[in-house]
Structures are given as structure tokens and as C-alpha cells.
Amino acid sequence: MIDLSQSRPFASGANRLCFRHPDQPGRCLKVLKPDSLEQRYRRQSPAKRLLGKRRLDDNRQEHLGYGQPAIARRLGGPQEAALWQHLPRLYDDEITTLGRANVSDLITDRSGHPSPTLEHYLRRPLTPELERAIDRFCRWLQDYGILTRNLLPHNLVVSNRSGQPELYLIDGLGAPSLQRLLAHQPSLRRRAIGRKIQRFHRRIRWELGGRRERWEAVQNR
């Protein structure tokens, strides 16, 4: 068991805490926040509670996202390296003093520190280098047919360790059940990914514009 009692998370999301692995500094441990699953479940409507708690477990959903055909069929093949151009590798779970943890590559900058999020960079105008990095990431999604949930700037980090900025999706991989079923049709999959990319660009413009309106009011324009 990995003891995290004296460790501090380097990042905290809505439902998970992220720690640097104490024995393998190049890896990240993602654990659910205490009671977060139970609290989310209680906030669900009675009808949604009938679907159970497992669908609210972000660690489980992440494993499902990595298990999508677009990724699974490339593992161990000549295209596997291309998967990790914009994704951290996901490894087996480990047990910690805070519960079961998903273990993935820790995306860092050239200094070895955890990479900042895209949200951090959107507090100022985009540089041409970052614009090109965003375009490369979106082309990669389309070229490899990677399904994601809504692409949010705080779920992407920007690493410069290759000598140029590159985006990595660290959360939000996968899709709801219905969308996963529809995505077995190539044309429907391309359309679904295209919609996610369009909304992603809309989100970037909203962030750069200072969030003058509520996102819910502009996300479908």
C-alpha cells in the first residue's frame, strides 16, 4: 500500500486529487476525494440513482475511456506511439491510504514540474505556437477517432518538454454510453468528434474574452 498521509496533491479537480507517485516520480496517482462519490450520488434525482453509483466514479470512467476501440486496437501496434502524443499512458491501479488510485504518466514541463493547464494560458492572448498546438491536438482527435467528453481547458495541460508546446488530455476521455454505441459508425464518430472540437474552440474564445457571459448561455451558439 502506498502511504499518502504525508503527501500533498499537486492538483485538485472537482472529484479527484492528483499526487506524484512517491516511488515513481514520473507517474501520477489519481484518487477520489473523500466522500465525493457519496455526495454526488445524493445530489442525483431519484431516477438517476437507479443507475447506481459506479457511473459516477471518475476513475472507473477513465478506464472505460482508455478502453475505447480507437485506443485499444492500437495498443502494441505500430500506431501506439501516436496515442501518447496527446495522452498520458494509463497503468494498473494501486492501493493507497486514500483509496484505490489510477496510475498514469505525469505530464511535466522541461524542468520536471507538472505542466500547467491550458486554462492557465488562456488568461492572456494566444501565441502562434499555442494556436498551432491546439490545431495539432484537434487534428489528432479526428485522425485517430478519439472520443472525449466536452473538452475543457482545465482538463488539458500544456507541456514544452519536446521543445514546442503540446496539449495533453489528462481528464475527460471517453463518452456517454449512447454516444459510444453510435460511434461504431465512422461517419457518426467523426461528426461527434467534430462537434466536440467546435465547442472546444467556442470555449477557448469565451475564456479569452473574459467570460463576460455565463458559459451555459453561449456554449451552443
Side-chain angles (χ1 to χ4, degrees):
M1 180 180 292
I2 299 173
D3 184 5
L4 295 178
S5 60
Q6 303 302 314
S7 300
R8 296 183 62 180
F10 67 83
S12 174
N15 305 306
R16 296 191 290 182
L17 300 171
C18 299
F19 296 85
R20 189 186 285 264
H21 197 301
D23 302 319
Q24 301 180 76
R27 294 188 181 184
C28 170
L29 297 168
K30 297 178 183 178
V31 297
L32 297 179
K33 288 183 175 179
D35 299 323
S36 66
L37 191 60
E38 186 64 34
Q39 291 171 10
R40 292 176 70 190
Y41 181 71
R42 289 174 183 169
R43 291 196 295 267
Q44 298 284 297
S45 66
K48 287 187 176 181
R49 287 181 192 171
L50 294 175
L51 300 174
K53 295 180 183 179
R54 295 184 71 199
R55 66 187 184 85
L56 302 175
D57 184 333
D58 283 7
N59 278 357
R60 179 176 180 269
Q61 292 301 318
E62 187 167 63
H63 276 284
L64 290 174
Y66 273 86
Q68 62 179 277
I71 294 175
R73 70 169 176 261
R74 292 184 169 97
L75 295 177
Q79 290 186 319
E80 179 176 357
L83 293 175
W84 316 130
Q85 291 175 350
H86 300 285
L87 271 180
R89 290 177 180 83
L90 185 67
Y91 303 97
D92 291 337
D93 296 352
E94 293 202 38
I95 303 300
T96 79
T97 50
L98 297 178
R100 187 176 294 276
N102 277 7
V103 184
S104 64
D105 284 335
L106 176 61
I107 306 302
T108 63
D109 58 24
R110 279 179 289 188
S111 66
H113 294 105
S115 295
T117 65
L118 177 60
E119 184 178 52
H120 168 81
Y121 285 95
L122 296 180
R123 297 170 187 167
R124 61 183 77 92
L126 287 179
T127 64
E129 293 80 10
L130 190 51
E131 287 182 346
R132 289 193 289 271
I134 291 170
D135 288 342
R136 285 193 296 274
F137 171 73
C138 293
R139 286 199 306 272
W140 171 83
L141 288 176
Q142 285 282 25
D143 290 347
Y144 290 92
I146 305 297
L147 293 176
T148 70
R149 297 178 185 272
N150 287 333
L151 295 162
L152 302 174
H154 62 265
N155 287 338
L156 290 140
V157 297
V158 181
S159 174
N160 61 4
R161 61 189 180 186
S162 68
Q164 65 179 2
E166 295 291 358
L167 269 62
Y168 287 81
L169 183 66
I170 59 168
D171 199 1
L173 189 66
S177 299
L178 178 59
Q179 192 177 101
R180 288 202 304 270
L181 291 174
L182 295 175
H184 285 288
Q185 293 292 328
S187 61
L188 294 176
R189 182 173 63 247
R190 286 193 297 270
R191 193 177 306 166
I193 294 170
R195 286 197 297 267
K196 289 291 192 298
I197 290 173
Q198 288 177 355
R199 182 173 288 192
F200 179 42
H201 284 295
R202 197 176 299 130
R203 178 74 183 220
I204 289 172
R205 292 194 295 271
W206 178 75
E207 298 268 359
L208 290 171
R211 302 182 176 185
R212 292 190 180 94
E213 299 179 75
R214 293 174 59 250
W215 170 241
E216 291 76 13
V218 303
Q219 61 179 328
N220 294 316
R221 287 181 184 172

